Structures are given as C-alpha cells and as structure tokens.
Amino acid sequence: MIRIAIANQKGGVGKTTTAINLATALAATGWRVLLIDFDPQGNASTGLGVEKTDRERSSYELLRGDATLAEAVVATRVPRLDIVPATVDLSGAEIELIEVERRTHRLHEALAASEGQWDVCLIDCPPSLGLLTVNALVAANMMIVPLQCEFFALEGLSQLLQTIERVRARFNPQLSILGVALTMYDRRNRLSEQVAADVRAVLGDVVFDTVIPRNVRLSEAPSHGVPALIYDHRCPGSEAYIALARECITRLTKTAQAA
C-alpha cells in the first residue's frame, strides 16, 4: 500500500480540501483508497459526511492501540473510499504517548498490520510539526505539501523541509516528496503569480504543474458532507483536483518503474 502524508505545519493552506478531493479523484479512477483523518478538528471526516455519532472508533484509538485499523475504518458515500475518522480526543494523544516506547512509530505499526486491503493511504495531518505529524511522516512513503500562494507560506516551507530531513535521518530514510501542490491560486492577484514563480524557481520539478485555484465551490462542499468533485464536478476546483490526481498517478507509476 502506498502511503502519502499530506502535510504543512501552516494552517489554512488547503490540506484537508486536498486530502478529500484527491482521495475522491483517485477512488474514481478505480483505486481502493484509505483516508486517515489525523487532525483533531476532524474536518476531513465532516467533509466526507461522517457524523460524530459514527466515530465510535477513530484515529485516536488507532494511535493508542485500543482499536485495529479494521475496527476504526468507516465506509464513505464515495465508492472505494474509506476513512479512519478523527475526534477531538486526538488532541490529547501527544501528552498521553509522551512516555510510550516507539511513540513515533504508532501509526506505522497500525498500518503495517493491514497491508493489501487498499492501494493507497492518504494521511491528513494537523497544522503543526508535533508528534501526530511525525507519526504520519514515519508511516508514509511519500508526502504531498499543499502550499498556499501567499508570502507567509514560503517562510513556513523551509521549516517543514528541515523537519522532513530530520525524520529521514532518524526514522524514515525512504520518505520522499511526491510533490508540492500550489493552492488558493488567484490569477487576478500578482502576488499569487510571484509566489508560484518563486516556489518553482527553488524546488523545480517537485512542484506539480497543476495549480488549485481559489474557488467558492471548494469551500461550500464540506458543509454538505460531500467532496467538491461530487458537489460540483465541473467547477474549476474539481477539475484542478482531477488533474492533480492524474499527475500523482503518473509520478507514482514512474517511481514504481524506477524501483
């Protein structure tokens, strides 16, 4: 199973929107997809229509070892897309696990016990570089970095890249960046163009060709409990995520062939 962490320590950059819609697009192509909501806010769960009453077992229990992956998984309305939902209890996990042995490998070990049921696992990380995000990076083979096309996003990128290098050095030398996804791009705003150009100049081919635009339909969809690709599959945001999914599949195929 391919494991992809969707991470950026800065909030509001489109991590959850990317996780939900990329997972939906991959499932639409025939992939069996597992989405792990690893953010205590539980927005990915809400965005896929999983009610709080249906979150008896969550990523919190999975991390603590109180539930297996099979016990925590909930089917979504999207065919071939399952989710491990999140609850606010997850916010206490960092403190509860502080004395636990191999606390950085809890998610990795939970996923390793259920290989083969899904083709790809996407992990929606919280907006921090704490224990939850480190667990996700240790468990993942690759990561996608959503990057908002605004000035402050560039400042946080260097900090995230340093964290990735530390995780590689100490825990997971196989971790690689599948791509950086430019989000909330406003073609009317010169700053968006400048940030996009700067990121491409620094990171080159690591940046996806697809750019996710600012789009009101992407913002409306979660309130209806469905991905934007189902809410309005013809809106610019949905079309962009479909294109991003194609790019991801192409990159994953090339990686597999090179291995």
Side-chain angles (χ1 to χ4, degrees):
M1 178 169 64
I2 301 165
R3 304 172 188 171
I4 304 172
I6 300 177
N8 188 327
Q9 82 277 11
K10 190 175 185 301
V13 299
K15 285 188 300 296
T16 299
T17 300
T18 296
I20 290 172
N21 289 290
L22 183 57
T24 302
L26 290 172
T29 67
W31 288 42
R32 296 168 300 166
V33 183
L34 173 64
L35 175 58
I36 296 181
D37 190 348
F38 224 43
D39 186 342
Q41 297 177 82
N43 290 336
S45 308
T46 302
L48 282 170
V50 180
E51 301 293 338
K52 292 185 178 178
T53 53
D54 296 328
R55 305 179 198 180
E56 294 181 11
R57 302 291 180 91
S58 67
S59 51
Y60 171 71
E61 282 80 15
L62 183 68
L63 197 64
R64 281 177 49 90
D66 296 334
T68 64
L69 184 58
E71 291 170 338
V73 164
V74 174
T76 72
R77 305 176 194 177
V78 181
R80 293 179 296 278
L81 174 55
D82 298 321
I83 186 172
V84 176
T87 64
V88 70
D89 292 338
L90 192 60
S91 60
E94 298 203 20
I95 297 173
E96 293 176 27
L97 296 176
I98 197 165
E99 307 241 338
V100 174
E101 188 177 351
R102 288 175 61 82
R103 62 185 180 274
T104 57
H105 289 69
R106 304 288 289 185
L107 182 60
H108 172 79
E109 290 164 358
L111 292 177
S114 298
E115 288 284 357
Q117 189 172 347
W118 298 275
D119 299 310
V120 61
C121 171
L122 301 181
I123 309 168
D124 183 27
C125 297
S128 73
L129 294 176
L131 183 60
L132 294 177
T133 297
V134 171
N135 256 271
L137 297 182
V138 171
N141 315 113
M142 306 172 184
M143 62 182 296
I144 291 174
V145 182
L147 189 69
Q148 186 178 5
C149 291
E150 292 188 1
F151 173 74
F152 289 120
L154 285 172
E155 290 190 330
L157 181 60
S158 61
Q159 188 180 356
L160 179 63
L161 294 176
Q162 289 172 9
T163 299
I164 295 168
E165 288 306 317
R166 291 194 194 102
V167 171
R168 280 178 180 154
R170 294 188 60 187
F171 306 118
N172 185 3
Q174 281 77 41
L175 180 66
S176 63
I177 299 178
L178 181 62
V180 172
L182 297 173
T183 62
M184 302 181 185
Y185 184 86
D186 187 346
R187 297 186 186 280
R188 301 167 298 177
N189 188 334
R190 187 174 298 176
L191 179 61
S192 287
E193 293 183 9
Q194 186 61 55
V195 171
D198 289 346
V199 173
R200 293 188 190 280
V202 172
L203 299 178
D205 292 340
V206 173
V207 184
F208 288 111
D209 293 333
T210 302
V211 174
I212 309 300
R214 282 193 178 276
N215 182 227
V216 68
R217 305 299 261 179
L218 290 178
S219 302
E220 290 175 352
S223 65
H224 296 271
V226 293
L229 272 73
I230 292 177
Y231 182 62
D232 184 355
H233 71 278
R234 293 184 177 178
C235 73
S238 294
E239 291 177 347
Y241 276 114
I242 291 169
L244 182 63
R246 289 196 196 101
E247 268 199 86
C248 286
I249 291 171
T250 300
R251 293 192 182 195
L252 290 170
T253 302
K254 288 180 179 178
T255 301
Q257 290 173 346

